[in-house]
Amino acid sequence: MSTAEDARTLVRLLWRGRAEPEAPRRGPRQRVTVDEMVVKAIALADDRGLNALSMRALAAELGVGPMTLYTYVPTRDVLVALMVDHVAGDSPMSSPATTVRESLASVARVLRAEYLAHPWLLDANPWRQVLGPHRLTRYERQLEVLESLDISDLDRDHILALLVAFVTGNAREALAAGAAATVSGMTDAQWWEVVAPELDAVIPDGRFPLSGRVGTAAGERHQAPGAPDEVFDFGLVCLLDGLRPLIGDD
């Protein structure tokens, strides 16, 4: 937030549904509500990306003047934080599974699906996001998955942070793969048909033996430079295996 007052305003707006109702204000009836602003902003970001979300663009979508929005939300940063929390409420965590391992896998899949549905989340600053009711509810549910473990509270937080970091990186790659196909107008296989002969012409034989061998194996399997979905499944298994000393084998 740009100022301490913006930070205080953010908390009040995030928790507006839980706070004591304010006395009715005198003057003209409000033309839009904060909830309407947030929902429209999410739709705009879903369609055009976070960089395209400006207070002016949002005002045009809502049919009001840009300065009107600042009477509801003080800054764009505050608006984005409200959007992030709102999305978290639309994709609640699933019920705990039989084992901690299965529950953590479910946590990862829900988060990845959320990123793929709302790519702009990857462009939102993740720091200090656990402030709103939906994000905090999610964090509480995630921690409940780990509550039975005999580990420190710091380890619980680190486990979830590690999971989020893994999911974020994989979701970013998955979205990049889709964007590359859209922008170029070529599938990965079509792109490789063009690029492969050019590489063969400029790379000396035997110059990169390991890259050639492994890259060929991956390319033949995926018909693409990579496979984010498959890597996600593989990586999640490896990550959870690595956490066995903390979460157990079950």
Side-chain angles (χ1 to χ4, degrees):
M1 300 301 101
S2 57
T3 66
E5 184 54 37
D6 287 343
R8 285 189 284 268
T9 300
L10 169 60
V11 174
R12 290 194 291 268
L13 286 171
L14 282 168
W15 292 86
R16 61 192 180 280
R18 277 79 173 171
E20 291 294 326
E22 297 181 359
R25 297 180 180 178
R26 295 181 179 180
R29 185 176 66 85
Q30 293 180 328
R31 294 183 58 185
V32 297
T33 66
V34 173
D35 286 337
E36 290 170 343
M37 285 181 58
V38 171
V39 170
K40 183 65 72 173
I42 290 172
L44 185 60
D46 285 345
D47 184 49
R48 306 181 199 173
L50 195 61
N51 289 337
L53 175 64
S54 65
M55 299 300 266
R56 182 174 297 276
L58 179 59
E61 291 288 325
L62 291 168
V64 299
M67 296 309 297
T68 299
L69 300 187
Y70 289 104
T71 64
Y72 300 88
V73 177
T75 68
R76 180 179 179 275
D77 287 343
V78 170
L79 174 62
V80 172
L82 295 174
M83 293 162 59
V84 170
D85 191 69
H86 185 93
V87 168
D90 285 341
S91 55
M93 303 307 299
S94 57
S95 301
T98 304
T99 66
V100 172
R101 182 187 180 97
E102 291 172 348
S103 293
L104 287 176
S106 177
V107 167
R109 293 189 182 98
V110 168
L111 292 177
R112 186 175 189 266
E114 185 174 278
Y115 282 128
L116 298 184
H118 305 283
W120 57 267
L121 286 170
L122 293 170
D123 297 321
N125 191 333
W127 215 241
R128 303 178 182 175
Q129 281 188 2
V130 187
L131 292 173
H134 299 305
R135 291 277 303 187
L136 196 54
T137 296
R138 167 180 289 177
Y139 186 51
E140 185 77 9
R141 299 290 85 79
Q142 292 170 344
L143 288 172
E144 288 175 356
V145 168
L146 306 172
E147 184 61 13
S148 63
L149 301 178
D150 185 20
I151 60 176
S152 71
D153 284 347
L154 195 57
D155 282 344
R156 300 178 206 279
D157 184 71
H158 286 172
I159 288 172
L160 295 177
L162 176 62
L163 204 63
V164 170
F166 164 70
V167 171
T168 300
N170 180 266
R172 193 179 299 279
E173 185 168 342
L175 290 166
T182 300
V183 172
S184 68
M186 295 187 292
T187 65
D188 285 324
Q190 292 169 334
W191 179 84
W192 191 250
E193 287 178 1
V194 174
V195 170
E198 298 296 324
L199 288 176
D200 288 340
V202 298
I203 297 178
D205 289 342
R207 178 66 180 84
F208 302 103
L210 298 180
S211 300
R213 190 188 78 214
V214 175
T216 297
E220 289 177 351
R221 176 177 177 84
H222 307 308
Q223 295 298 301
D229 292 347
E230 187 170 316
V231 170
F232 173 77
D233 292 333
F234 174 82
L236 185 58
V237 170
C238 292
L239 189 152
L240 296 174
D241 282 348
L243 289 173
R244 276 180 178 170
L246 295 176
I247 67 173
D249 295 325
D250 294 335

